[in-house]
Amino acid sequence: MSTATFHISSLLEKMTSSDKDFRFMATSDLMSELQKDSIQLDEDSERKVVKMLLRLLEDKNGEVQNLAVKCLGPLVGKVKEHQVETIVDALCANMRSDKEQLRDIAGIGLKTVLSELPTAATGSGLATNVCRKITGQLTSAIAQQEDVAVQLEALDILSDMLSRLGAPLATFHASLLHCLLPQLSSPRLAVRKRAVGALGHLAAACSTDLFVELADYLLDRLPGPRAPASPATIRTLIQCLGSVGRQAGHRLGAHLDRLVPLVEEFCKLDDDELRESCLQAFEAFLKKCPKEMGPHVSKVTSLCLQYMKHDPNYNYDSDGEEEQMETEDSEFSEQESEDEYSDDDDMSWKVRRAAAKCMAALISSRPDLLPDFHCTLAPALICRFKEREENVKADIFGAYIVLLQQTRPPKGWLEAVEEPTQTGSSLHMLRGQVALVIKALQRQLKDRSIRARQGCFSLLTELAGVLPGSLAEHMPMLVAGTVFSLADHSSSSTIRMDALAFLQGLLGTEPAEAFHPHLPTILPPVMACVSDPFYKIAAEALLVLQELVRALWPLDRPRILDPEPYVREMSAATLARLHATDLDQEVKERAISCMGHLVGHLGDRLGDDLEPSLLLLLDRLRNEITRLPAVKALTLIAMSPLRLDLKPILAEALPILASFLRKNQRVLRLATLAALDALAQNQGPSLPPSAVRAVLAELPALVSESDMHVAQLAVDCLATVTQVQPASLAEVSGPVLSELLRLLHSPLLPAGVLVATEGFLQALVGTRPPCVDYAKLISLLTAPVYNQAADGGPGLHKQVYHSLARCVAALAAACPQEAAGTANRLVCDARSPHSSTGVKVLAFLSLAEVGQVAGPGPQRELKAVLLEALGSPSEDVRAAASYALGRVGAGNLPDFLPFLLGQIEAEPRRQYLLLHSLREALGAAPPDSLKPYAEDIWALLFQRCEGAEEGTRGVVAECLGKLVLVNPPFLLPRFRKQLAAGEFMDSLQDPDLNVRRATLAFFNSAVHNKPSLVRDLLDDILPLLYQETKIRRDLIREVEMGPFKHTVDDGLDVRKAAFECMYSLLESCLGQLDICEFLNHVEDGLKDHYDIRMLTFIMLARLATLCPAPVLQRVDRLIEPIRATCTAKVKAGSVKQEFEKQDELKRSAMRAVAALLTIPEAGKSPIMADFSSQIRSNPELATLFESIQDSASAPSTDSMELS
């Protein structure tokens, strides 16, 4: 017998004791044992524990009973299925007991067991089996009318069960529906309420037929407004509709035209509870069926406006007079007068709250009506900021915040271009409301209620974010309101933290000048918060202080405000925080950062405080916990244009920083390299050479391919040190160069590292005397290419030649006197018949870069060499020569361009390569120098537009684009005239497929890079775009390939381009799309070709996150094509690629399913639940799905981000 089993059997023995304390302690110990993951029970122990706990549920002592019930939770996961069923049977039997206490305990027990059952998603059938056992017993308990308590308990349990495990109970749905519907007319309010909740959960999971039955039942029972019915019945039915709307509103769309007028009529009855239910139902309908609610928006809006101010027991007109009369000591009398109004039976506040919430749902579901909302809803909401009931006021603020969030301009929005558009007009209207909002909030900011003030701060923060700079003129009032909350010590600390966060945001959005007059008012309370004993307030206040320093005394502009009166106080408060060591980590870090800003921005005014601050910073640098913030603060101070004297700390700080470069913590290494670079740039000559050498010794190890970002910063740092202390570099230049050359041979070299390397090499030859000789460096760089095996074995990657050429050019630019010689040598190498392909490629690419530096000397010879190379048998040499011709030509246009144009005319066979050269020249030459040749190039390019080769036409198009950019005002109108098809719309309807495809590619680029140009044209473009997503049978043909027939779809590329445009529109123009129409085409794409299905799966996953409501409405239809993809089989004997394609499709489809399941209600859909169980029962799909869910819980990088 194992020790655990022995221990448990001794506990079971104690549980039979007659002493209740023994029983209690033994049960408590059992609870602890069961909560351990490691515990394993054998069959016999399981049976005994279950039997004993069921016995203890009937214990005379209440505390023992309660503990025994709690034990059931962890026990469910530890025993076998038939034991769980034993527990459930016993609990159900106890539910029908005569003893009330036993019934209560059994109810709690069933809820506990249900909450611990593994959901169907884990693939366990236990939950389903248990629920099936319970359901029959629950329905009979609900149907019996004798004991209401049993009924209520059963309804509660059923609700729980349906919300967690609705779908697996499909076989019982019909019987449950028929059992629950009669309860809606129960005489007991509590029974009706619970039945309403259970029906809501059932509506989400039941089949379509049952849902229609439920909806029809509710609609048929709702009497017409004239027909007599008890208010309680109507209330229950409307509440039930609201509950169904909240849980399964997406399925109600088809019934709304019958529903809405009825609910609207009931709103007019004089019954506040009914009105609240009606407005809550509307809120659910708006959230779940925005499109179907479209025709009813105006009616719902007027109802919201009417009931938001429905307060029959209170006269707001007296507010104005009250404001003038009110003085400090009249607070008590005002309280009294409010008490007279607040009637215990007054339910009107619930109606106002429901109206405000409904309004928020209305605004968020219809972004297209924003301008109307700004005209109608905004003034009404602002007017209601004076609401007396705290809960309602919070929701009114919430509704206005939703309006602000919807008005926030989209990404890439250009105010200058878009002022006349919808966003522009909404922002314009909002600007007009700012003064009204501020006036309405003036009293609220000094309200006694903390929640009201928090609402004000949230609203103002959002407003400042949408309209930066709009609050500057109202600063006196905002400062007064903020200071009022900062000085409020009477209540919880949250309001002070909110006030500090608001102030910090304000410093980021409003111009600094607006704060200047108010600094004497703001600073004292902020200082008081800095020294506050509560760490969260102190941390937030230090952040505000840092922001104040950054905003009011910026480093890039002359100081307008004299810091003298404030600087001592700020530095004293921060230093006090820096000195203390027994602080919270967050406060320590913020204090260091704040001190860094103070020294960096105002160090010249700190006087005697400067040195102690620096020494303290040095001390924090030594401490492992605070070293990272200290390094960042040091970087700030080193980069400061104030050129502070850091000598007191440099000798000690540099070796500490050098030791950080050996640490594993990457963030620390990056921060340290940035700090060293800043110190070398600004304190270079005063750095002690011995300390510099200590730093340099650590750097070669960091120049490695394993971490390119660290390598880039290390090389930058080396370049800076080379310029300020070249003598220190002698020892490390060798190891560093060998590491750098290894880096340059990496085909994945990032541009930043290459630029840093060029800078370092230029620094090496640029010092006097040079650290390393020019010729030595050139031979080091080119040796790998020159020493390559002549048979051209596995050579270097193409990209490596470009990197090496850039470095050669950088060296030539740093030593102009050597450039001509280098160029001549390169021309010789390129010309020599003995040179290998690699040498020629490197020579041409280097000439492309060096040619512009070397002057016209060797260029005469160059033309001949380059032209000759264009006929080379090696494609790499031809490409390099064509690139070089263009780049060299860009540096000497008068000589090269006429020659190049002449060659294009004369040599039709080399046209493709010569056009590439022209493209390079157009890209590299300064626009003004190209203007004289624009006409000749224009004429030449338009002659080549009709070329038979698609590749040539592509290059011509690129050249034309670059040429138009040389002189857009003059050439763009001519270019548009050349578009024979006329406008964009016409070319989307062009009979030629290639024209349509090119037009879609252009549209995609516009949506991507300049969405502002497209947004207002979408109404005309979208129908044409959607037209292109349809499969056209007339473009599908059969091709015979020997004995096989192969189907070719000529329209595929155009369709694919159209779907790519749709994806881009999701990113930048979501607000202008009718998502329901959009989804129709996505749905068609799910059944299309492989490439298009891949795209639409990604779109579907994106849509599930961006606008879940419309996706949820058609989730049943979307699942079918996904299911077809997942269950498709590849024909036996297919090629490997077919199997890979199918796997990729399945993975993509699974990602879409995982995204759909993030919508809370989607999993309850019967079709989705069925598909989920199908996935779990198929081992291959189950494994795939789990791996996708695991990767989704990690930070996602797998969306097709095109932004």
Side-chain angles (χ1 to χ4, degrees):
M1 183 187 276
S2 72
T3 47
T5 318
F6 180 73
H7 181 47
I8 284 177
S9 61
S10 70
L11 290 177
L12 294 176
E13 206 172 304
K14 287 179 192 165
M15 287 180 192
T16 56
S17 163
S18 55
D19 185 337
K20 67 173 190 298
D21 292 340
F22 263 50
R23 296 200 302 277
F24 180 83
M25 287 314 296
T27 316
S28 173
D29 290 348
L30 178 66
M31 179 80 166
S32 314
E33 282 295 320
L34 289 172
Q35 281 168 337
K36 292 177 187 164
D37 288 336
S38 57
I39 186 169
Q40 294 285 323
L41 294 176
D42 56 37
E43 188 108 12
D44 190 43
S45 304
E46 276 184 23
R47 200 178 61 254
K48 285 179 180 168
V49 170
V50 169
K51 193 175 171 187
M52 181 53 72
L53 282 177
L54 291 176
R55 222 177 93 185
L56 290 181
L57 288 181
E58 302 178 33
D59 198 278
K60 296 185 187 67
N61 182 280
E63 287 177 340
V64 175
Q65 276 184 320
N66 288 340
L67 251 186
V69 158
K70 283 182 188 162
C71 285
L72 293 177
L75 184 66
V76 167
K78 302 281 190 294
V79 297
K80 295 192 179 56
E81 196 168 312
H82 64 91
Q83 295 295 356
V84 179
E85 290 177 12
T86 311
I87 296 174
V88 170
D89 285 339
L91 290 172
C92 285
N94 288 354
M95 279 275 297
R96 296 193 294 277
S97 159
D98 304 337
K99 299 178 191 156
E100 186 180 348
Q101 192 180 6
L102 195 53
R103 284 203 307 264
D104 287 350
I105 285 287
I108 296 168
L110 275 173
K111 281 183 195 162
T112 311
V113 169
L114 281 174
S115 67
E116 289 297 326
L117 285 176
T119 55
T122 58
S124 156
L126 175 63
T128 317
N129 296 342
V130 169
C131 290
R132 287 182 177 150
K133 276 192 105 62
I134 305 179
T135 310
Q137 313 217 27
L138 288 178
T139 41
S140 60
I142 292 168
Q144 59 84 26
Q145 302 288 329
E146 297 84 64
D147 192 335
V148 176
V150 173
Q151 252 184 320
L152 291 177
E153 201 62 59
L155 280 164
D156 254 355
I157 293 165
L158 187 62
S159 251
D160 267 11
M161 209 161 69
L162 283 169
S163 70
R164 283 190 76 238
L165 307 154
L169 294 176
T171 44
F172 293 98
H173 285 170
S175 62
L176 286 174
L177 182 66
H178 300 138
C179 161
L180 286 169
L181 287 175
Q183 303 309 319
L184 290 178
S185 42
S186 159
R188 301 293 296 260
L189 174 64
V191 172
R192 295 201 300 272
K193 273 201 166 160
R194 282 175 173 75
V196 162
L199 279 167
H201 291 304
L202 179 62
C206 66
S207 66
T208 313
D209 295 346
L210 281 179
F211 185 83
V212 171
E213 186 183 333
L214 168 63
D216 286 345
Y217 176 93
L218 295 174
L219 281 164
D220 295 343
R221 293 288 180 289
L222 268 180
R226 310 282 170 272
S230 74
T233 311
I234 297 173
R235 230 176 280 154
T236 305
L237 290 166
I238 297 281
Q239 277 165 356
C240 194
L241 280 170
S243 174
V244 170
R246 278 186 291 283
Q247 301 294 339
H250 52 283
R251 307 177 79 175
L252 266 176
H255 306 271
L256 283 183
D257 286 339
R258 277 172 70 195
L259 251 177
V260 176
L262 278 173
V263 179
E264 199 186 313
E265 286 298 329
F266 290 122
C267 241
K268 294 174 185 165
L269 296 180
D270 189 16
D271 175 346
D272 281 348
E273 204 178 331
L274 178 60
R275 281 186 188 133
E276 181 195 13
S277 302
C278 291
L279 288 163
Q280 283 171 340
F282 279 141
E283 181 194 350
F285 301 159
L286 283 165
K287 278 182 177 165
K288 298 295 169 78
C289 311
K291 186 166 176 150
E292 289 83 347
M293 280 298 283
H296 311 290
V297 162
S298 57
K299 290 172 190 164
V300 176
T301 309
S302 56
L303 284 173
C304 286
L305 288 169
Q306 179 185 345
Y307 290 114
M308 194 169 61
K309 47 181 191 282
H310 165 72
D311 198 354
N313 296 353
Y314 190 82
N315 180 11
Y316 283 92
D317 297 342
S318 61
D319 273 13
E321 299 149 34
E322 221 176 277
E323 245 174 274
Q324 290 145 17
M325 289 168 14
E326 195 177 309
T327 54
E328 285 302 312
D329 56 0
S330 71
E331 278 189 13
F332 183 68
S333 59
E334 189 198 336
Q335 181 68 47
E336 258 181 20
S337 63
E338 247 179 45
D339 285 347
E340 285 170 32
Y341 296 120
S342 87
D343 181 359
D344 289 342
D345 302 330
D346 178 19
M347 292 282 287
S348 64
W349 68 274
K350 289 188 172 177
V351 177
R352 297 198 299 281
R353 184 181 63 180
K357 283 186 165 171
C358 186
M359 203 177 274
L362 179 63
I363 296 166
S364 59
S365 66
R366 294 303 299 267
D368 50 321
L369 298 177
L370 263 184
D372 300 350
F373 291 156
H374 274 290
C375 293
T376 51
L377 303 186
L381 282 167
I382 295 170
C383 190
R384 289 302 306 167
F385 287 173
K386 62 187 177 191
E387 168 65 53
R388 66 198 173 97
E389 189 68 43
E390 201 175 86
N391 292 322
V392 184
K393 189 185 287 187
D395 283 315
I396 287 172
F397 282 157
Y400 194 76
I401 288 173
V402 171
L403 184 65
L404 289 174
Q405 286 165 343
Q406 294 286 343
T407 313
R408 191 182 277 272
K411 221 169 31 177
W413 187 79
L414 307 167
E415 187 158 356
V417 180
E418 301 209 20
E419 201 50 68
T421 63
Q422 179 180 318
T423 305
S425 64
S426 295
L427 283 174
H428 187 66
M429 288 157 126
L430 185 57
R431 276 199 189 92
Q433 293 165 27
V434 173
L436 295 171
V437 170
I438 300 289
K439 189 173 177 225
L441 292 180
Q442 193 158 4
R443 271 181 81 190
Q444 310 297 334
L445 271 171
K446 295 195 174 177
D447 197 300
R448 283 193 305 281
S449 151
I450 287 178
R451 197 166 165 205
R453 279 182 278 156
Q454 282 175 320
C456 292
F457 287 137
S458 306
L459 193 150
L460 288 165
T461 305
E462 195 64 46
L463 181 58
V466 177
L467 283 180
S470 60
L471 300 180
E473 57 194 274
H474 307 287
M475 205 53 81
M477 196 255 347
L478 295 176
V479 167
T482 311
V483 169
F484 175 81
S485 283
L486 284 180
D488 179 5
H489 291 275
S490 58
S491 49
S492 75
S493 50
T494 15
I495 187 65
R496 293 164 71 204
M497 281 158 61
D498 287 339
L500 286 166
F502 168 64
L503 191 53
Q504 189 209 336
L506 214 53
L507 284 161
T509 58
E510 308 309 305
E513 291 70 33
F515 292 93
H516 289 171
H518 305 290
L519 198 55
T521 324
I522 298 174
L523 209 51
V526 172
M527 288 297 144
C529 289
V530 167
S531 48
D532 194 274
F534 182 42
Y535 76 96
K536 284 196 171 173
I537 290 183
E540 200 69 46
L542 283 163
L543 208 53
V544 171
L545 189 56
Q546 174 180 314
E547 196 64 28
L548 262 173
V549 173
R550 206 182 55 73
L552 300 190
W553 295 285
L555 293 172
D556 52 354
R557 294 197 297 278
R559 287 179 191 161
I560 303 168
L561 182 69
D562 178 24
E564 202 54 54
Y566 315 106
V567 70
R568 291 259 177 255
E569 188 187 350
M570 294 193 293
S571 108
T574 314
L575 269 175
R577 278 303 192 189
L578 256 182
H579 270 296
T581 46
D582 54 343
L583 288 177
D584 182 83
Q585 175 70 11
E586 195 179 359
V587 181
K588 283 181 190 169
E589 290 182 6
R590 296 268 171 90
I592 293 168
S593 173
C594 187
M595 187 43 89
H597 277 78
L598 264 171
V599 176
H601 287 252
L602 299 171
D604 54 338
R605 297 298 189 90
L606 284 174
D608 299 341
D609 279 349
L610 178 59
E611 195 163 328
S613 304
L614 291 175
L615 290 170
L616 257 176
L617 205 55
L618 181 63
D619 193 48
R620 297 291 169 265
L621 204 57
R622 292 192 180 102
N623 183 332
E624 189 177 342
I625 295 175
T626 53
R627 64 192 181 190
L628 183 59
V631 170
K632 289 179 178 172
L634 190 60
T635 313
L636 268 175
I637 295 168
M639 286 166 68
S640 166
L642 301 175
R643 301 274 182 230
L644 303 166
D645 177 21
L646 301 184
K647 280 202 191 87
I649 61 166
L650 283 178
E652 288 184 64
L654 284 174
I656 298 173
L657 290 172
S659 72
F660 291 168
L661 295 176
R662 290 195 295 270
K663 301 288 184 229
N664 266 341
Q665 194 183 355
R666 182 172 184 265
V667 191
L668 181 64
R669 287 207 305 265
L670 291 172
T672 306
L673 285 167
L676 288 167
D677 193 39
L679 283 168
Q681 279 178 24
N682 294 312
Q683 306 279 328
S686 56
L687 295 178
S690 58
V692 171
R693 280 196 288 276
V695 170
L696 288 176
E698 302 294 341
L699 288 175
L702 298 180
V703 183
S704 90
E705 202 177 353
S706 60
D707 191 331
M708 290 292 196
H709 188 37
V710 169
Q712 179 183 338
L713 292 184
V715 175
D716 277 335
C717 187
L718 280 163
T720 313
V721 175
T722 310
Q723 286 159 356
V724 292
Q725 290 203 8
S728 308
L729 216 78
E731 289 168 31
V732 292
S733 60
V736 167
L737 280 172
S738 60
E739 288 296 339
L740 263 185
L741 286 173
R742 195 170 300 138
L743 260 192
L744 285 172
H745 289 183
S746 161
L748 303 174
L749 189 75
V753 182
L754 184 56
V755 172
T757 307
E758 289 172 21
F760 175 56
L761 293 171
Q762 287 181 326
L764 282 177
V765 293
T767 55
R768 293 284 164 265
C771 292
V772 184
D773 184 52
Y774 174 85
K776 184 183 173 191
L777 272 181
I778 289 278
S779 71
L780 263 179
L781 284 170
T782 53
V785 179
Y786 281 80
N787 300 343
Q788 252 181 323
D791 62 354
L796 298 168
H797 190 277
K798 272 185 197 171
Q799 188 56 45
V800 177
Y801 292 105
H802 281 275
S803 305
L804 293 172
R806 286 269 301 270
C807 292
V808 170
L811 285 170
C815 303
Q817 70 282 6
E818 305 274 0
T822 303
N824 283 326
R825 200 163 60 254
L826 288 168
V827 171
C828 291
D829 287 342
R831 206 174 213 170
S832 158
H834 305 298
S835 298
S836 69
T837 305
V839 170
K840 285 184 176 174
V841 170
L842 179 64
F844 284 130
L845 292 177
S846 303
L847 282 167
E849 308 290 342
V850 177
Q852 300 183 14
V853 186
Q859 291 189 357
R860 294 184 189 80
E861 210 180 333
L862 248 183
K863 283 185 200 168
V865 177
L866 288 169
L867 273 183
E868 188 187 328
L870 288 179
S872 159
S874 159
E875 190 182 334
D876 290 343
V877 174
R878 291 201 300 271
S882 133
Y883 175 73
L885 185 58
R887 298 284 296 194
V888 174
N892 184 6
L893 286 176
D895 188 16
F896 260 82
L897 206 59
F899 163 74
L900 185 58
L901 296 179
Q903 284 293 323
I904 293 176
E905 291 283 2
E907 294 271 357
R909 279 186 307 118
R910 295 184 182 173
Q911 194 166 319
Y912 181 70
L913 291 167
L914 291 163
L915 282 168
H916 266 290
S917 302
L918 179 60
R919 183 190 67 185
E920 287 304 328
L922 288 172
D928 289 340
S929 62
L930 281 166
K931 280 183 182 169
Y933 309 99
E935 285 301 328
D936 298 344
I937 303 174
W938 182 268
L940 178 114
L941 289 174
F942 270 102
Q943 285 168 13
R944 302 278 175 293
C945 275
E946 298 284 329
E949 279 285 314
E950 187 173 354
T952 308
R953 292 202 304 272
V955 184
V956 169
E958 285 183 64
C959 291
L960 272 172
K962 287 184 188 292
L963 182 62
V964 169
L965 289 173
V966 168
N967 188 359
F970 176 61
L971 292 177
L972 202 55
R974 281 182 61 182
F975 184 65
R976 285 185 60 174
K977 208 178 284 178
Q978 287 286 349
L979 273 175
E983 284 305 315
F984 173 77
M985 305 287 174
D986 302 337
S987 46
L988 253 186
Q989 293 162 291
D990 195 280
D992 188 327
L993 281 175
N994 291 323
V995 172
R996 293 212 298 279
R997 193 179 81 206
T999 310
L1000 287 168
F1002 157 62
F1003 177 62
N1004 195 3
S1005 170
V1007 169
H1008 210 58
N1009 301 309
K1010 297 266 191 319
S1012 51
L1013 302 175
V1014 174
R1015 284 194 183 110
D1016 290 345
L1017 307 171
L1018 284 181
D1019 288 348
D1020 302 324
I1021 293 174
L1022 282 175
L1024 298 172
L1025 175 66
Y1026 291 151
Q1027 194 58 42
E1028 294 302 328
T1029 63
K1030 293 189 167 57
I1031 297 176
R1032 285 182 47 188
R1033 298 276 160 230
D1034 54 322
L1035 295 175
I1036 297 177
R1037 55 199 169 86
E1038 273 197 347
V1039 180
E1040 290 192 4
M1041 299 172 85
F1044 303 108
K1045 286 189 174 174
H1046 182 59
T1047 310
V1048 176
D1049 183 351
D1050 293 330
L1052 177 62
D1053 286 343
V1054 178
R1055 281 207 309 286
K1056 196 171 159 191
F1059 277 106
E1060 281 166 1
C1061 292
M1062 284 172 66
Y1063 185 86
S1064 297
L1065 284 168
L1066 273 189
E1067 295 296 314
S1068 52
C1069 304
L1070 185 67
Q1072 283 72 26
L1073 299 176
D1074 173 351
I1075 293 294
C1076 296
E1077 174 66 15
F1078 189 91
L1079 270 166
N1080 289 338
H1081 300 283
V1082 171
E1083 203 178 319
D1084 293 341
L1086 291 172
K1087 304 165 193 156
D1088 205 323
H1089 182 271
Y1090 164 80
D1091 291 339
I1092 290 171
R1093 270 190 286 174
M1094 290 294 283
L1095 256 176
T1096 44
F1097 286 141
I1098 297 171
M1099 278 202 259
L1100 192 55
R1102 197 89 189 86
L1103 280 161
T1105 337
L1106 292 172
C1107 35
V1111 174
L1112 187 60
Q1113 279 182 287
R1114 57 179 73 206
V1115 77
D1116 292 356
R1117 278 162 43 195
L1118 294 168
I1119 288 298
E1120 286 315 314
I1122 295 180
R1123 189 200 302 258
T1125 298
C1126 290
T1127 50
K1129 293 272 186 288
V1130 182
K1131 286 181 192 158
S1134 297
V1135 290
K1136 184 181 166 200
Q1137 284 90 328
E1138 286 298 318
F1139 285 99
E1140 285 172 357
K1141 267 185 175 182
Q1142 185 59 27
D1143 286 346
E1144 201 43 59
L1145 262 181
K1146 277 184 189 168
R1147 178 172 284 282
S1148 204
M1150 284 298 164
R1151 280 199 197 100
V1153 174
L1156 287 173
L1157 285 171
T1158 58
I1159 309 174
E1161 297 90 338
K1164 294 179 181 170
S1165 142
I1167 292 182
M1168 179 61 124
D1170 178 45
F1171 182 44
S1172 295
S1173 62
Q1174 189 176 345
I1175 291 175
R1176 283 192 308 278
S1177 59
N1178 177 329
E1180 181 200 351
L1181 290 180
T1183 318
L1184 185 59
F1185 191 60
E1186 275 167 30
S1187 74
I1188 281 164
Q1189 282 189 311
D1190 293 344
S1191 61
S1193 58
S1196 164
T1197 51
D1198 202 87
S1199 103
M1200 186 173 110
E1201 282 306 342
L1202 301 170
S1203 47

